[in-house]
Amino acid sequence: MKPMSFNAPTRMATEALEAPALCLAQLRRNADLMREAGQRLRALAPPFAATLARGSSDQAASFAKFLLETRVGLPTVSHAPSIGSLYQATSDKFRDVPLIAISQSGRSPDLLAAAQEASARGALVIAVVNDAASPLAELAQIVIPVHAGAETSVAATKSFVCTLFALAHLAAEWSGDADLLDALTHAGPLLEQAARADWSAAVPLLAKAQEMLVLGRGPTLPIAGEAALKLKETCNLHAEAFSSAEVAHGPMTLVGAGDPVLAFAPLDVASTGLRERLEDFTARGARVIAAGKPEDIAPAALVLPFAPDAHPIIGAIAQIQSFYGLANALSLARGCNPDNPPHLNKVTSTL
């Protein structure tokens, strides 16, 4: 396929810009549903929760894990789809345990099979889906539509942002976190600002890169995971995501002079030690690109536009919102088509 020109409009860019308005509309449309779900889950008082997802949705599942463990105080595990779809080995311990199945289409065969298996074992299946009429939604006991609308670019953008927003809304109602609920209610201007933020100054630093690290921690580790996935998917760039704490346990030895490192700095206590880590990378000659609080990312060679006074959860969502503009520009600069990455389909059929 002939590469698109650097300035050509793309569906990926257009759809990403729709996310802020869609999130606020979702908050209103799902208000009663989320309130009732929160009440039901508090009454259920499960011993743990589980997630079920693949691809970008699995990064959203990691975001759900962070929210449930830090806001609800509930241990949360990742239930691999193949455990149910191939091995039919779902534990009977899943009885009355919420299984949060996350899928844009709600049609992936492995997720459907695993969700059906878990439901048969007594799990409470919660479907977080863009298509509320999908097979996954039909088998779930609780359906949470993300209301992202049709998404035609293969690379998910607005559906991912809307999914994070919905998960944060669920966690706020489940835990009774009034501060988070208020932050969601007033998130519109910040997300709009994030959508329009210009991160294109990073393009020259990444245009010729062959591999890179992407860092996050706490609420931004799933953001780093999604960014790394998109860099592979849309830019043909080998990017790997690590916790800014975990990266010191081996992976940082791979980084040398001139290698790019992209850091999504968390706006909460998870930023502890980040400045020292970025100083280590800088001392190695790495080109550090970062978004976060100025005091945490001072060693960065390039500081990306970002609102550092946001609520930590909203701030994490805003970071991936801004990143999509960078991914789109970088994809075009590298001669790729972000709307149609090679060898990928919108609905992935695996079992």
Side-chain angles (χ1 to χ4, degrees):
M1 180 176 293
K2 183 179 179 181
M4 305 175 77
S5 70
F6 183 81
N7 294 318
T10 67
R11 285 174 286 156
M12 177 181 175
T14 300
E15 289 173 352
L17 289 173
E18 297 172 3
L22 290 169
C23 284
L24 293 189
Q26 175 204 107
L27 191 73
R28 295 189 297 271
R29 296 175 71 178
N30 285 356
D32 292 340
L33 164 67
M34 292 295 199
R35 192 175 305 111
E36 292 169 3
Q39 293 170 351
R40 180 175 179 178
L41 291 164
R42 283 195 302 274
L44 184 65
F48 68 96
T51 63
L52 179 68
R54 286 205 190 279
S56 286
S57 293
D58 201 30
Q59 303 304 329
S62 295
F63 194 69
K65 173 181 172 68
F66 172 81
L67 289 167
L68 296 186
E69 293 189 341
T70 60
R71 261 60 189 181
V72 183
L74 192 64
T76 304
V77 301
S78 174
H79 183 52
S82 59
I83 296 299
S85 66
L86 293 181
Y87 295 102
Q88 290 84 49
T90 303
S91 171
D92 288 332
K93 302 292 186 182
F94 268 73
R95 181 163 299 280
D96 295 328
V97 166
L99 177 69
I100 304 175
I102 305 172
S103 173
Q104 297 163 39
S105 68
R107 286 175 164 78
S108 298
D110 52 353
L111 262 69
L112 289 171
Q116 288 170 338
E117 175 70 13
S119 181
R121 301 296 182 103
L124 175 70
V125 178
I126 302 173
V128 182
V129 291
N130 195 27
D131 184 353
S134 63
L136 180 61
E138 290 177 1
L139 68 84
Q141 287 77 51
I142 297 175
V143 179
I144 298 176
V146 302
H147 296 300
E151 188 173 59
T152 58
S153 175
V154 170
T157 55
K158 63 177 181 175
S159 64
F160 184 78
V161 173
C162 288
T163 297
L164 298 190
F165 205 80
L167 291 168
H169 191 183
L170 177 63
E173 289 289 1
W174 191 343
S175 63
D177 189 335
D179 288 340
L180 177 54
L181 191 58
D182 183 68
L184 290 165
T185 302
H186 296 94
L190 178 64
L191 292 181
E192 287 288 356
Q193 179 183 346
R196 302 291 177 180
D198 184 2
W199 284 18
S200 62
V203 170
L205 300 179
L206 300 175
K208 301 298 183 182
Q210 297 302 309
E211 56 187 16
M212 63 182 292
L213 295 184
V214 187
L215 306 182
R217 193 180 183 188
T220 66
L221 182 56
I223 304 308
E226 165 66 0
L229 182 61
K230 283 296 184 291
L231 288 167
K232 296 186 189 81
E233 183 179 60
T234 67
C235 303
N236 195 25
L237 172 54
H238 183 199
E240 294 296 333
F242 287 96
S243 160
S244 58
E246 187 68 26
V247 74
H249 294 267
M252 69 184 302
T253 62
L254 299 174
V255 176
D259 291 337
V261 175
L262 175 60
F264 294 96
L267 300 181
D268 62 5
V269 68
S271 66
T272 301
L274 177 61
R275 180 176 180 134
E276 291 77 12
R277 190 71 64 239
L278 297 186
E279 287 173 347
D280 290 343
F281 279 116
T282 300
R284 292 169 177 266
R287 298 175 295 179
V288 176
I289 305 162
K293 293 180 180 178
E295 61 268 27
D296 293 330
I297 60 173
L302 176 62
V303 174
L304 300 168
F306 181 66
D309 56 348
H311 186 286
I313 300 303
I314 305 304
I317 298 173
Q319 284 177 329
I320 197 61
Q321 176 73 71
S322 294
F323 168 81
Y324 286 140
L326 168 59
N328 182 76
L330 181 61
S331 177
L332 296 175
R334 290 170 68 93
C336 303
N337 181 349
D339 290 334
N340 291 294
H343 316 301
L344 294 175
N345 297 301
K346 193 64 178 172
V347 179
T348 302
S349 294
T350 55
L351 190 62

